[in-house]
Structure formats: structure tokens, C-alpha cells
Amino acid sequence: MYWEDLTWPELDRTSRTTPVVLNLASIEQHGPHLPLSTDSAIGGFFMQKLDEALGSSVLVLPQVKVCCSAHHMDFPGTLTVRHETLLAYVCDMLESMVAHGFRNMVPLQSSQQVANGRGRFRIRRRPGTTRPHSWLGPACLVRLPRVPAPF
């Protein structure tokens, strides 16, 4: 189910252990034969298939379409943001998710160079925290309730 398509009472009734998926994509060149939206279309397709297969067992956050694509700026149409901007935005989204009680975030990267041109955007989990980071190092710290690991 898509986060933004739910009413607030529907979201409120959703189990806080439901995995929440965030697709990180890009708007950049893929040669002269493919549209700039290739990575976001691929991510959107996977999110749709995930929703069809799992329905209410998964929550899909709104896609982050514009990420770090400075290395493609020689090609007209590329959109990019600074690493700090992307990390701040994703951290803010995670803080919102956590504020509403959700603890299980799954990043899905549909572009190889989402965060730094080397495809490195990870979510680390320490007891009671989620820490998004890239090559820039720790970007933010989001407090999570202590819960036993499912494995």
C-alpha cells in the first residue's frame, strides 16, 4: 500500500512493524535512446509489483526521484542535488516515519549512483537508532524504540 494514498486513520490502524520501503531513483541520461526517467520508472515498476504482491504487508513511501547525479550534468536534462541535501531529506523522511511509530525501513535503490557516484547509500541500525550515511559519514541519527531483532 502506498503511504500517500492512505487516510490518516487507515495509516493509524497499520501495524508499526510493517516494512516501509523507500525508493531512491534519479533523473539522468541513459544514452540517447532512453528517457531521463529510466531509473525512476524502474523503481516505480518495482514498487508497483511489490504493492501488488504484498498489499497491506508493506508500506511504500513516496519515491525520491532526484538524487545525486552531478557526474551526469554534462548531459542536458539531468537533475541533481548535493549529497548533504539528499541525506538531510531522507533523514527528515525517516524521522517522520519514526515519529509515527514505524521502525522497519527498507531502502530500494533503482539507480546505481544514488548517493555518491559509487552506489553507496546504506541504512545502519544500532540498538535504538537508524543511521543513514554515505561516503560523507554519519548524516543524522534517528531515535527508534528498542525492539528485539527479528533474527
Side-chain angles (χ1 to χ4, degrees):
M1 54 193 163
Y2 287 90
W3 184 286
E4 70 265 31
D5 291 342
L6 299 173
T7 64
W8 73 261
E10 289 170 332
L11 189 69
D12 193 41
R13 288 190 299 269
T14 303
S15 170
R16 297 314 193 251
T17 61
T18 302
V20 181
V21 181
L22 174 62
N23 177 226
L24 301 160
S26 65
I27 302 295
E28 63 188 25
Q29 70 82 29
H30 288 86
H33 60 295
L34 291 173
L36 297 167
S37 64
T38 296
D39 289 330
S40 61
I42 290 168
F45 174 80
F46 279 111
M47 294 300 95
Q48 178 185 354
K49 292 301 178 187
L50 187 68
D51 180 54
E52 289 171 6
L54 299 177
S56 63
S57 298
V58 67
L59 267 171
V60 178
L61 286 173
Q63 184 184 58
V64 178
K65 286 188 177 188
V66 179
C67 290
C68 304
S69 298
H71 56 287
H72 286 289
M73 285 304 291
D74 288 342
F75 298 92
T78 296
L79 298 175
T80 190
V81 297
R82 292 176 295 118
H83 297 109
E84 297 86 356
T85 303
L86 175 64
L87 292 169
Y89 184 73
V90 170
C91 287
D92 286 351
M93 286 182 73
L94 289 174
E95 287 174 351
S96 296
M97 182 189 86
V98 169
H100 295 300
F102 294 92
R103 316 182 276 273
N104 300 315
M105 192 273 198
V106 180
L108 177 74
Q109 192 171 305
S110 60
S111 173
Q112 186 177 8
Q113 291 91 12
V114 163
N116 66 5
R118 288 177 241 148
R120 293 183 185 165
F121 186 91
R122 299 186 186 118
I123 304 296
R124 280 190 189 165
R125 188 178 188 297
R126 293 183 178 179
T129 65
T130 290
R131 181 175 289 193
H133 69 95
S134 76
W135 65 275
L136 296 170
C140 72
L141 198 59
V142 179
R143 293 281 169 210
L144 292 173
R146 289 190 179 269
V147 294
F151 46 86

